[in-house]
Amino acid sequence: MNLSQREAAVRRMLEQAPPPVVPPDLYGEVVRRGRRVQRRGRAVRRLLWLALIAAAVVFAVWAATARPWVEPPSDTTPPLTGW
């Protein structure tokens, strides 16, 4: 079936069938689930921000103690003392 035939078949089915009956308590259930999804999403975002901040603090503490930007002393040449 091509697109126009499928569209025509769907239109025929929709014209023949009566509209589906919606349960009366469906709206309340949908609102309850939507709020739950929003709360979970908010909690996940807060946890991700907290993890990001914790990682930044850990990195800052490591960088302050390890000082990776300082060149390490050379161990290949012995010190020249007593000349």
Side-chain angles (χ1 to χ4, degrees), residues 31-43 45:
V31 169
R32 185 179 63 80
R33 287 185 182 183
R35 286 183 184 149
R36 184 175 19 166
V37 168
Q38 284 180 338
R39 275 196 315 269
R40 286 181 182 171
R42 202 175 311 130
R45 279 191 301 277

Side-chain angles (χ1 to χ4, degrees), residues 11-59:
R11 284 195 180 98
R12 280 193 305 271
M13 285 191 294
L14 289 175
E15 289 170 358
Q16 292 173 357
V21 178
V22 178
D25 61 341
L26 182 64
Y27 177 76
E29 180 71 19
V30 168
V31 169
R32 185 179 63 80
R33 287 185 182 183
R35 286 183 184 149
R36 184 175 19 166
V37 168
Q38 284 180 338
R39 275 196 315 269
R40 286 181 182 171
R42 202 175 311 130
V44 167
R45 279 191 301 277
R46 286 181 183 167
L47 284 173
L48 288 175
W49 275 110
L50 182 64
L52 179 67
I53 291 169
V57 168
V58 166
F59 176 77

Side-chain angles (χ1 to χ4, degrees), residues 59-72:
F59 176 77
V61 169
W62 170 80
T65 57
R67 296 175 32 161
W69 56 88
V70 176
E71 186 176 331

